[in-house]
Amino acid sequence: MEDFINKLYRNHSFIYKGLLFICTTFLIVYLFPKSGKFKYNFEKGKPWQSEVLLAPFDFAIKKNDAELTQEKQEIANNSVLYFDLDNSVKTRVTQSFAAQFKKMFSDSLPRVTYNSLFKVGQEIISEFYIVGVLGESYNFSETSSIVILEDRVKKQEGFFSEIIKQDAITPIIEKSLLKHNLIKYKKNFISLFFDLIEPNLVFNKSFTEKALQEDLNKIALVRGSVEKGTLIISKGEVVDAERFQILKSLQSEFESQEWGKSNYNWIIFAYTLLVALALLMLYLFLRKYRREVFENNTKVTFIFFNIFLMIFITTLVVNYDSKFIYVVPICILPLIFKAFFDARLGMFAHVITVLLLGFIVPNSYEYMFLQILAGIVTILTVSELYKRANLFISVGQITSVYIVAYFAFYVIHEGSVENIQWEMFIWFILSGLATLFVQPLIYAYEKIFGLVSDVSLLELSDTNSTLLKELSNKAPGTFHHSLNVANLAEASANEIGANAMLVRVGALYHDIGKMKNPTYFTENQSTGINPHDELSSKESARIIISHVIDGIEIAKKYNLPDRVIDFIRTHHGTSTVYYFYMKEKKDIEAVNKADFCYPGPKPFSKETAILMMCDSVEAASKSLKEPTSTKIDAFVESIVDKQIEEGQFLNANITFKEIQSIKKVLKHKLANIYHLRIEYPE
């Protein structure tokens, strides 16, 4: 049992990766649509590339969006308008008319005229309320059908033109008076009816909308059907509009079929295989080309988490409304991976993610083409993410690629730009703006996963930081040495394409352990007194070597990232404190060399190897007397070659060619430091 537990402990990293792989696979499969996938790819206006297609079962031909929209518009245009009738209004107006008429027209009028006027008034009221009077103005068509409701019961039907509107009252009065040769009483009648007429119709908006919705719900979503065995399309035939709609109907019917338990399980199994293969490719890439990432479970978890997060967000958007899929800022993924790792890993993970999203999104080929293209642009354009201008420029380029690619696809599908959906461009712009969220996201990831990006490195490179200020106060010589090493290391990193920002920060902090005993290091001995004179060689070596361990402790105390602490650990590798070793050897023949060696480890990256070379060269350059170009060249060659002979760079992925380039930079920089001129022949 104990052996089994020990075996589990030894392989816990591998077991964790396996569990992470399995969990991520099943979580992604859980998000996938649980239906069969139509096996044919087709585009409108393009030849059918597959074999002759016969209808595998009976299915209905669905109407396309344009047809449904047209039908809905026709129904809306011909919909019935409903009005509520208040029958008491006409009675009230008739009674008021009799009373007001007597007040307005005195008995002095001839009886015949008086009676005629009264009779005309009654006729006008009757005409007003044949259908009814509407109090508000509505922008309905005059030919629209109407239904008059009294107590929610249909009383009469007609057209909207038959309803009396406010602006039609005066013309009706004039027409009736003119008919009976009483036009001279127009002013009196208009004044009388202006206060008298009341609207008896009210537009019933809710009832009208409900009736319209019922009519819309009755729209048939299909037009005709295709029987099993019917020829749908032959190889080489062009997919015209009619065939395209039939194929889309077949695809929709196929993917929406009710699957039996056996079919369902097979579909899940097949999805699981495909997702597992995709994630396995990512694992293999990390294991072969990014070994340091693969061996760090936190970084592997971070990568898988981000891939799953993008798939999860896209699934939510597709389930809500698939037209918003381009709002999801997929290009955040390569940006994040490039910020924390490198461009190649970012591109590989982005492609894997987009391939997986192809199972979820509609028009998967078009979607994948756009997203992979945008990912390539992201990787190629974004450099030095900590510079805000670079991010804005990159977002603009990503948005432009989306817009241009979508425009090209639309023209290919439709053959014109007349009905192009301009709102898609808004989604692309929103996606670009959402990509700007990468900055706060990087900060959050740094805190959650303990990673470090170039943005954090820029902050750490500030020489006004608390730790570097303390170093400059306690060990000014070491601080000055660190600045010189940082400049040499940054120039060397730029020369071979390494991470210049990382190596600069590592150089600034690599000797912070010397703050504990600053006077034991020659660069800080300003009084001429050397405390090593009172110590044995072994004790002196122990103090010198301990600055590495002390530096690690101080770095952890100040919460420096592990990537920076790696420079403190490795900047001397397993080299020997040569001066004290040789001094001890003079006194004692049998010397244990291990007592005079740094604990290591050796540099394991280009950046840590660069720091080791620059640190040794800069420190030793202080002993050069009357330096010349020839002396400096030989000096740099001897120091670096000695480190190569000791095998200090065996674990670092650095080539001899890159080492030669670094030597060249160091020679040039040291020549500038000592202000050497070209040695002209006499």
Side-chain angles (χ1 to χ4, degrees):
M1 185 65 181
E2 187 176 345
D3 291 340
F4 177 73
I5 293 173
N6 290 334
K7 192 174 182 180
L8 282 179
Y9 180 77
R10 286 194 301 272
N11 296 295
H12 74 278
S13 181
F14 179 78
I15 294 169
Y16 176 81
K17 289 183 181 70
L19 291 173
L20 179 66
F21 177 84
I22 293 169
C23 291
T24 307
T25 300
F26 280 108
L27 284 172
I28 292 174
V29 170
Y30 177 77
L31 298 174
F32 279 6
K34 306 303 185 293
S35 63
K37 192 78 173 175
F38 196 56
K39 64 180 179 179
Y40 301 105
N41 291 315
F42 55 92
E43 294 181 41
K44 187 160 67 173
K46 295 292 184 71
W48 178 258
Q49 299 294 338
S50 304
E51 69 274 9
V52 173
L53 179 61
L54 302 177
F57 45 75
D58 296 342
F59 66 93
I61 304 172
K62 294 185 176 182
K63 296 176 183 176
N64 59 34
D65 292 340
E67 290 174 322
L68 290 172
T69 301
Q70 184 179 353
E71 281 192 42
K72 289 178 181 178
Q73 189 60 46
E74 288 177 0
I75 289 175
N77 293 337
N78 298 322
S79 62
V80 177
L81 305 174
Y82 289 85
F83 295 86
D84 291 321
L85 174 67
D86 186 352
N87 227 354
S88 64
V89 172
K90 182 178 179 182
T91 304
R92 189 164 59 251
V93 169
T94 303
Q95 292 172 353
S96 297
F97 171 72
Q100 294 298 325
F101 185 82
K102 287 181 180 180
K103 292 179 181 179
M104 180 165 285
F105 297 99
S106 63
D107 295 337
S108 60
L109 282 174
R111 177 54 55 181
V112 175
T113 304
Y114 183 88
N115 291 337
S116 297
L117 284 172
F118 187 80
K119 187 176 179 181
V120 169
Q122 289 180 320
E123 289 177 358
I124 291 171
I125 292 172
S126 297
E127 188 173 351
F128 281 157
Y129 293 105
I130 291 173
V131 176
V133 178
L134 192 61
E136 298 181 28
S137 297
Y138 293 96
N139 191 27
F140 298 133
S141 171
E142 293 295 312
T143 58
S144 296
S145 299
I146 64 167
V147 170
I148 307 298
L149 301 173
E150 185 176 2
D151 296 329
R152 301 185 67 83
V153 177
K154 180 165 70 173
K155 183 177 181 182
Q156 67 182 100
E157 297 177 314
F159 297 98
F160 187 65
S161 59
E162 297 172 359
I163 295 177
I164 306 299
K165 290 82 175 176
Q166 291 292 330
D167 57 356
I169 292 176
T170 301
I172 291 174
I173 293 172
E174 289 178 352
K175 181 181 176 183
S176 297
L177 292 174
L178 192 62
K179 179 181 176 183
H180 294 87
N181 295 319
L182 296 170
I183 194 65
K184 66 180 181 178
Y185 297 104
K186 168 187 168 183
K187 186 176 180 181
N188 300 80
F189 261 61
I190 290 174
S191 176
L192 175 63
F193 281 103
F194 182 81
D195 297 325
L196 199 64
I197 296 300
E198 296 179 37
N200 67 335
L201 293 180
V202 176
F203 177 56
N204 193 328
K205 184 178 179 181
S206 61
F207 199 92
T208 301
E209 289 177 350
K210 185 178 178 182
L212 173 60
Q213 191 59 50
E214 288 179 358
D215 291 339
L216 291 174
N217 292 338
K218 293 176 183 176
I219 294 176
L221 300 178
V222 298
R223 50 171 179 82
S225 61
V226 176
E227 294 183 0
K228 181 179 179 180
T230 303
L231 174 65
I232 296 176
I233 194 168
S234 301
K235 186 173 183 178
E237 286 188 294
V238 175
V239 181
D240 55 22
E242 180 63 24
R243 286 194 179 93
F244 180 78
Q245 194 56 37
I246 293 173
L247 288 168
K248 291 294 287 184
S249 300
L250 175 59
Q251 180 182 12
S252 177
E253 186 68 26
F254 182 84
E255 293 180 351
S256 63
Q257 281 185 0
E258 291 293 330
W259 296 89
K261 187 174 181 180
S262 175
N263 300 95
Y264 180 83
N265 291 337
W266 276 110
I267 290 170
I268 295 297
F269 176 71
Y271 272 139
T272 304
L273 282 180
L274 292 173
V275 174
L277 279 173
L279 296 180
L280 182 62
M281 295 304 105
L282 182 57
Y283 258 144
L284 293 176
F285 172 84
L286 294 175
R287 189 171 182 274
K288 186 171 179 61
Y289 297 106
R290 298 294 180 271
R291 189 77 187 190
E292 71 282 1
V293 176
F294 180 76
E295 290 175 354
N296 188 317
N297 284 342
T298 301
K299 292 179 179 179
V300 174
T301 304
F302 173 73
I303 293 169
F304 275 63
F305 170 77
N306 276 280
I307 291 173
F308 172 74
L309 182 64
M310 281 300 162
I311 295 173
F312 176 70
I313 293 172
T314 305
T315 304
L316 290 180
V317 172
V318 169
N319 291 338
Y320 175 71
D321 194 335
S322 61
K323 72 179 182 180
F324 296 124
I325 54 171
Y326 288 106
V327 177
V328 180
I330 299 296
C331 288
I332 277 184
L333 200 63
L335 276 175
I336 289 173
F337 288 158
K338 188 176 181 182
F340 288 113
F341 306 112
D342 60 84
R344 192 175 176 188
L345 173 55
M347 190 67 243
F348 196 91
H350 177 72
V351 171
I352 292 292
T353 306
V354 172
L355 289 175
L356 292 173
L357 287 173
F359 292 108
I360 299 171
V361 299
N363 300 321
S364 56
Y365 172 77
E366 179 181 323
Y367 178 85
M368 289 191 292
F369 184 90
L370 260 67
Q371 296 294 4
I372 291 175
L373 211 60
I376 293 171
V377 171
T378 304
I379 292 297
L380 294 178
T381 58
V382 175
S383 58
E384 299 175 326
L385 191 61
Y386 55 86
K387 294 182 180 178
R388 289 171 294 180
N390 289 0
L391 181 59
F392 280 98
I393 292 168
S394 181
V395 166
Q397 291 171 331
I398 293 167
T399 306
S400 300
V401 167
Y402 275 135
I403 291 173
V404 171
Y406 171 76
F407 176 81
F409 268 114
Y410 187 87
V411 172
I412 290 171
H413 291 324
E414 303 297 330
S416 69
V417 295
E418 293 179 2
N419 299 317
I420 193 166
Q421 297 176 343
W422 297 104
E423 67 175 13
M424 287 299 297
F425 297 152
I426 297 175
W427 307 145
F428 293 139
I429 293 170
L430 289 176
S431 176
L433 294 175
T435 306
L436 296 174
F437 185 68
V438 70
Q439 287 283 19
L441 197 60
I442 286 173
Y443 178 79
Y445 281 150
E446 285 180 335
K447 300 304 178 186
I448 295 170
F449 290 92
L451 301 172
V452 60
S453 69
D454 284 351
V455 181
S456 293
L457 291 175
L458 181 65
E459 294 173 357
L460 290 170
S461 67
D462 182 9
T463 53
N464 287 317
S465 65
T466 305
L467 185 53
L468 291 180
K469 270 190 172 181
E470 187 179 347
L471 177 64
S472 67
N473 291 330
K474 290 183 177 180
T478 300
F479 178 71
H480 185 260
H481 159 72
S482 298
L483 287 176
N484 290 337
V485 173
N487 292 331
L488 291 174
E490 185 176 19
S492 301
N494 284 325
E495 183 69 20
I496 66 170
N499 190 331
M501 179 64 72
L502 176 61
V503 77
R504 179 175 181 82
V505 173
L508 288 173
Y509 291 91
H510 78 283
D511 269 345
I512 56 174
K514 292 181 179 180
M515 286 193 295
K516 193 167 183 180
N517 296 299
T519 56
Y520 284 87
F521 300 90
T522 54
E523 66 266 25
N524 300 311
Q525 293 171 1
S526 57
T527 60
I529 300 172
N530 190 347
H532 288 288
D533 294 340
E534 300 175 3
L535 301 175
S536 67
S537 298
K538 190 178 288 188
E539 288 175 329
S540 294
R542 182 181 56 78
I543 292 172
I544 297 296
I545 291 170
S546 66
H547 87 273
V548 173
I549 305 300
D550 294 337
I552 293 170
E553 290 176 356
I554 293 170
K556 289 183 176 179
K557 179 183 175 183
Y558 281 85
N559 295 317
L560 291 185
D562 286 339
R563 288 176 77 185
V564 177
I565 296 175
D566 288 339
F567 287 90
I568 302 173
R569 288 192 180 99
T570 61
H571 74 279
H572 285 295
T574 56
S575 61
T576 307
V577 185
Y578 198 71
Y579 175 81
F580 291 110
Y581 173 66
M582 295 305 295
K583 186 179 176 183
E584 181 77 0
K585 209 169 183 183
K586 286 180 183 178
D587 301 330
I588 304 172
E589 289 185 8
V591 178
N592 184 4
K593 191 175 181 179
D595 294 335
F596 296 87
C597 290
Y598 285 95
K602 295 176 181 179
F604 46 79
S605 66
K606 286 181 182 179
E607 289 77 16
T608 51
I610 289 170
L611 178 63
M612 173 180 262
M613 287 183 257
C614 295
D615 180 43
S616 300
V617 167
E618 203 284 332
S621 69
K622 298 293 189 294
S623 63
L624 278 175
K625 295 177 181 178
E626 298 180 3
T628 63
S629 295
T630 306
K631 279 186 179 180
I632 288 175
D633 290 355
F635 167 76
V636 171
E637 290 286 345
S638 65
I639 289 178
V640 176
D641 287 348
K642 184 181 178 183
Q643 290 173 338
I644 294 172
E645 287 172 12
E646 292 177 351
Q648 297 295 337
F649 306 134
L650 290 177
N651 297 333
N653 58 336
I654 192 166
T655 64
F656 283 116
K657 183 179 179 181
E658 289 170 336
I659 292 173
Q660 288 301 119
S661 298
I662 292 168
K663 286 179 182 179
K664 184 179 176 182
V665 171
L666 293 175
K667 293 171 186 176
H668 177 70
K669 286 288 183 181
L670 286 177
N672 288 339
I673 289 170
Y674 289 106
H675 307 291
L676 297 181
R677 296 180 180 272
I678 298 172
E679 297 176 6
Y680 295 101
E682 294 183 1

